[in-house]
């Protein structure tokens, strides 16, 4: 049997009385594209923050490649090859687009007291960073200040940085929102090619057409709980999912 | 040059060294510090104690002085940099008051009288004062600027910039915010210590009041005026704020008021400082330079 690459075991995150994530368990297998669906406020982003170490779970465990990673700080989790994007984009605004990618490329150096003194401004480094920009289609804007880019380009920059860090797992938080049609299909192609390279992708996506087309498996969250899991076609017909999206508050959900 | 001019120039260069250190903390890593004068003072008092009580020379004391400043920076920075950013301002003000109080009330540091009789710097058998000492300070400033320039092209400073811009995003790129904030803080306090040491050997007499909170506000005003995060900003800011009060002598008593007002105005209207991008000074100077080249 194949071992899961990443798994959550009964993970919860409470903010005071609010159960943002409530006893969620799931597994992702190597090379898989897993989708996370759910209405606004369902707890999807909080789940990403738990995996990437920004938050510590109130209870439950997160495992990555045979190792428990909950409670480990974000920079240590990143070093394991888990890259992520932010739904609310977080560019290093006063740095150039290229420098934004270079920051991510420094990941192999930041924990070595000697390597941090080397120069990022070298031909080799800039070439490698430019290759990543090429992949996401930002080459023309390499020297532009990141803070001046429109949202669509910032989403691509988020992906570029995450690609550098996430050589094992990529967490994409609504990377498609705010993109034009042609940009969406380009990004779909990119994600498929990333998967061909052996990466595992978890993506949060409201756009049904995109998530149905890309994902091998989908889990659905509502009010912090996992209400469904299955292949895209199964999810489409799942009663509790349809209810969660169409029914308002006060509905009870099967778990 | 008259002695008066040399005095002003020397003090400005010494302050510029400290402000360069503040720039690493505030400009590079984005961590506000309102207690930089404390570390300037720690450098001054360390060298004063070492040279007057142990009788060692400025040069022998210097590595120790820089080491002590950096070490105390590390010890005080560790708890301070863990607090939320808006508390850091308060915490560093607190550090300034505590350090000043230690100088003022601990007899070992001369109490209210301060420490006098600090020897002049010897250089190949020559006792440096006046212009030669000014040139020595200038040499140290050049060295500090070279270090700053060298820092800006290192991965360490890239990590600091990332923390300054977006701490959460930086942490998901393998950067430990605490480690790099601390690194910036230690480099910055070491530079303050160097400046403080030169100050002590120039004045030959120091007391706690030389390192009080208003001096920290002055340092920050110089940095913000010149341009946070730029290489030359600390020098330009120190020059302007060093010369202005000399031109308006009666205003000297209101210096702290003037600094604070300037800080608020700059942060409101020109957060990048005079040398920052899109600053009004740049908009005026750049076309002029272009015109000159033609
Ligand atoms: N730091 C926080 N403190 C308090 N509550 C929070 C915090 N972060 C998230 N929440 C709450 O947790 C719940 C889940 O939020 P989350 O951002 O995960 O939703 P989401 O599923 O990503 O929604 P969307 O589709 O709108 O992005 C929300 O009610 C939100 O207000
Ligand atoms: Mg979200």
């Amino acid at each position: 049997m194949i071992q899961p690459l990443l798994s959550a075991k009964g993970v919860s995150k409470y903010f005071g009385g609010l159960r943002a994530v409530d006893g969620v368990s799931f597994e992702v297998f190597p090379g898989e594209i897993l989708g996370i669906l759910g209405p606004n406020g369902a707890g999807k982003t909080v789940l990403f923050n738990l995996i990437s170490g920004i938050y510590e779970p109130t209870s439950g465990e997160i495992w990555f490649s045979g190792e428990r990673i909950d409670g480990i700080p974000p920079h240590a989790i990143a070093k394991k090859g888990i890259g992520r994007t932010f739904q609310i984009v977080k560019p290093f605004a006063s740095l150039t687009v290229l420098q934004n990618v270079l920051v991510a490329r420094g990941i192999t150096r930041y924990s070595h007291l000697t390597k941090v003194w080397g120069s990022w401004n070298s031909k080799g480094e800039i070439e490698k960073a430019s290759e990543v920009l090429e992949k996401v289609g930002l080459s023309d804007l390499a020297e532009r200040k990141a803070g001046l880019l429109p949202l669509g380009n910032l989403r691509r920059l988020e992906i570029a940085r995450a690609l550098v860090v996430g050589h094992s797992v990529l967490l994409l938080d609504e990377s498609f929102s705010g993109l034009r049609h042609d940009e969406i299909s380009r990004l779909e192609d990119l994600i498929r090619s990333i998967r061909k390279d052996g990466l595992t992708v978890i993506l949060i996506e409201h756009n049904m057409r995109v998530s149905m087309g890309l994902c091998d498996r989908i889990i659905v969250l509502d009010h912090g709980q996992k209400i469904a899991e299955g292949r895209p076609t199964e999810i489409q017909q799942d009663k509790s999912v349809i209810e969660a999206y169409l029914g308002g508050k006060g509905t009870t959900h099967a778990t | 040059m008259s002695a008066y001019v040399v005095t002003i120039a020397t003090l400005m260069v010494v302050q510029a060294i400290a402000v360069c250190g503040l720039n690493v903390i505030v400009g590079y890593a984005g961590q506000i510090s309102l207690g930089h004068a404390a570390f300037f003072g720690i450098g001054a008092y360390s060298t004063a104690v070492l040279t007057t009580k142990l009788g060692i020379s400025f040069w022998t004391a210097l590595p120790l002085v820089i080491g002590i400043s950096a070490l105390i920076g590390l010890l005080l920075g560790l708890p301070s940099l863990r607090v939320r950013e808006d508390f850091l301002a308060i915490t560093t003000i607190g550090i300034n008051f505590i350090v000043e109080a230690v100088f003022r009330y601990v007899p070992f540091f001369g109490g209210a009288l301060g420490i006098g009789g600090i020897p002049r710097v010897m250089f190949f058998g020559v006792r440096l004062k006046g212009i030669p000492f000014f040139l020595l300070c200038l040499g140290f400033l050049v060295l500090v600027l070279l270090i700053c320039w060298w820092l800006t092209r290192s991965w360490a400073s890239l990590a600091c910039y990332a923390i300054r811009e977006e701490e959460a995003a930086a942490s998901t790129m393998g950067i430990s915010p605490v480690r790099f904030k601390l690194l910036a803080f230690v480099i910055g306090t070491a530079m303050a210590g160097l400046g403080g040491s030169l100050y002590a050997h120039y004045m030959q007499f120091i007391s706690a009041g030389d390192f009080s909170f208003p001096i920290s506000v002055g340092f920050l005003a110089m940095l913000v005026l010149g341009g946070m995060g730029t290489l030359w900003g600390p020098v330009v800011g120190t020059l302007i704020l060093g010369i202005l009060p000399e031109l308006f002598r009666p205003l000297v008593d209101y210096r702290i008021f003037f600094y604070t007002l300037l800080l608020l105005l700059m942060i409101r209207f020109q957060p990048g400082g005079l040398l920052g991008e899109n600053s009004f000074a740049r908009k005026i100077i750049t076309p002029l330079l272009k015109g000159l080249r033609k």
Side-chain angles (χ1 to χ4, degrees):
Chain A
M1 210 191 110
I2 317 170
Q3 290 295 313
L5 182 63
L6 185 83
S7 58
K9 298 178 182 173
V11 169
S12 300
K13 179 68 187 178
Y14 301 164
F15 294 108
L18 176 80
R19 300 177 169 205
V21 172
D22 193 4
V24 170
S25 300
F26 67 89
E27 294 178 328
V28 199
F29 295 91
E32 201 179 18
I33 300 181
L34 178 77
I36 300 181
L37 285 183
N40 292 113
K44 305 177 299 290
T45 297
V46 172
L47 188 61
F48 268 18
N49 285 339
L50 290 169
I51 298 172
S52 57
I54 305 250
Y55 297 149
E56 221 178 300
T58 310
S59 63
E61 300 175 1
I62 301 169
W63 289 73
F64 171 69
S65 145
E67 202 184 339
R68 204 172 152 181
I69 59 164
D70 53 277
I72 293 179
H75 61 94
I77 290 181
K79 277 210 75 183
K80 296 181 188 298
I82 302 178
R84 70 164 292 177
T85 66
F86 290 91
Q87 177 181 3
I88 297 165
V89 289
K90 297 186 188 297
F92 305 126
S94 75
L95 304 187
T96 66
V97 169
L98 186 78
Q99 282 171 329
N100 266 260
V101 176
L102 282 166
V103 170
R105 281 199 50 82
I107 188 162
T108 54
R109 299 165 187 272
Y110 298 133
S111 43
H112 293 269
L113 261 181
T114 48
K115 286 191 190 165
V116 289
W117 304 114
S119 172
W120 50 265
N121 199 0
S122 75
K123 220 177 154 200
E125 285 298 339
I126 288 168
E127 255 167 38
K128 293 231 174 72
S130 307
E131 279 170 25
V132 182
L133 288 180
E134 178 81 56
K135 251 192 205 173
V136 298
L138 282 178
S139 298
D140 297 344
L141 302 171
E143 293 306 323
R144 204 66 81 72
K145 287 264 177 293
L148 301 176
L149 300 187
L151 183 65
N153 287 336
L154 287 176
R155 292 228 182 273
R156 293 197 239 180
L157 181 57
E158 286 274 337
I159 293 169
R161 298 189 307 191
L163 273 175
V164 174
V165 172
H167 53 77
S168 181
V169 178
L170 216 53
L171 310 173
L172 303 177
D173 196 346
E174 303 200 14
S175 292
F176 288 88
S177 76
L179 296 194
R180 295 189 314 264
H181 273 295
D182 53 322
E183 291 175 322
I184 288 179
S185 47
R186 232 193 118 151
L187 184 53
E188 282 178 313
D189 292 343
L190 178 66
I191 291 173
R192 286 202 185 91
S193 83
I194 289 166
R195 186 251 289 277
K196 267 208 199 102
D197 297 339
L199 257 82
T200 307
V201 181
I202 308 181
L203 55 89
I204 296 173
E205 193 42 64
H206 279 302
N207 184 329
M208 284 293 183
R209 199 193 58 71
V210 169
S211 44
M212 295 295 155
L214 268 179
C215 301
D216 302 312
R217 225 152 36 85
I218 287 175
I219 64 174
V220 184
L221 298 184
D222 186 29
H223 292 95
Q225 296 182 339
K226 187 171 90 176
I227 57 165
E229 173 167 3
R231 276 195 299 252
T233 45
E234 296 166 350
I235 293 298
Q236 247 169 339
Q237 282 141 27
D238 191 294
K239 281 219 175 66
S240 55
V241 174
I242 297 167
E243 208 172 290
Y245 269 93
L246 302 179
K249 285 185 182 107
T251 42
T252 48
H253 304 291
T255 30
Chain B
M1 264 199 282
S2 76
Y4 166 71
V5 174
V6 176
T7 302
I8 303 298
T10 307
L11 288 178
M12 277 196 302
V13 170
V14 165
Q15 287 178 330
I17 292 174
V19 177
C20 282
L22 188 61
N23 192 26
V24 175
I25 301 170
V26 184
Y28 293 6
Q31 303 304 302
I32 186 80
S33 171
L34 275 164
H36 204 59
F39 299 96
F40 191 62
I42 287 167
Y45 268 88
S46 318
T47 200
V49 167
L50 287 169
T51 54
T52 61
K53 300 201 182 198
L54 298 184
I56 61 179
S57 77
F58 162 82
W59 295 102
T60 319
L62 189 61
L64 290 172
V65 169
I66 292 174
I68 292 168
S69 310
L71 186 69
I72 297 179
L74 182 77
L75 293 178
L76 294 179
L78 198 58
S80 314
L81 294 167
R82 283 177 185 274
V83 300
R84 274 201 1 236
E85 234 146 275
D86 28 348
F87 288 129
L88 188 59
I90 309 286
T91 313
T92 49
I93 293 174
I95 287 177
N96 204 150
F97 277 101
I98 291 167
V99 169
E100 191 197 340
V102 168
F103 294 152
R104 193 183 298 279
Y105 298 113
V106 175
F108 180 74
F109 295 113
L113 291 176
I115 300 180
I118 304 165
R120 289 214 183 273
V121 174
M122 300 294 289
F123 194 70
F124 293 107
V126 181
R127 194 181 297 268
L128 296 188
K129 52 185 200 177
I131 292 176
F133 185 76
F134 165 74
L135 292 176
L136 177 78
C137 293
L138 202 58
F140 274 113
L141 176 60
V142 169
L143 184 70
V144 163
L145 285 169
L146 278 173
I147 293 172
C148 287
W149 169 81
W150 176 80
L151 274 177
T152 55
R153 33 141 312 283
S154 74
W155 293 97
S157 80
L158 202 57
C160 288
Y161 298 160
I163 292 168
R164 176 189 72 196
E165 303 286 310
E166 268 298 344
E167 191 170 324
S171 72
T172 63
M173 276 153 227
I175 297 165
S176 157
V178 172
R179 180 181 306 163
F180 284 95
K181 284 180 195 174
L182 208 52
L183 185 70
F185 203 70
V186 167
I187 294 173
T189 52
M191 289 178 179
L194 169 65
S197 166
L198 293 167
Y199 176 80
H201 287 278
Y202 184 69
M203 302 303 285
Q204 298 188 280
F205 166 78
I206 54 171
S207 62
D210 299 353
F211 313 106
S212 57
F213 174 61
I215 307 293
S216 292
V217 178
F219 285 158
L220 195 63
M222 291 167 188
L223 176 61
V224 171
L225 177 67
M228 289 182 277
T230 64
L231 184 63
W232 292 100
V235 177
V236 170
T238 312
L239 267 177
I240 295 174
L241 286 197
I243 292 170
L244 272 189
E246 301 306 325
L247 298 181
F248 306 102
R249 266 279 156 203
L251 286 182
V252 165
D253 290 340
Y254 303 100
R255 216 179 255 195
I256 175 77
F257 171 74
F258 174 66
Y259 286 161
T260 314
L261 188 69
L262 184 78
L263 253 178
L264 292 175
L265 286 176
M266 287 303 289
I267 287 172
R268 174 71 185 79
F269 296 107
Q270 286 278 286
L274 292 179
L275 297 189
E277 281 163 53
N278 308 319
S279 80
F280 68 86
R282 243 176 217 252
K283 279 186 191 134
I284 296 168
I285 292 169
T286 319
L288 281 181
L289 286 180
K290 274 189 190 144
L292 282 181
R293 274 195 209 124
K294 268 176 199 163

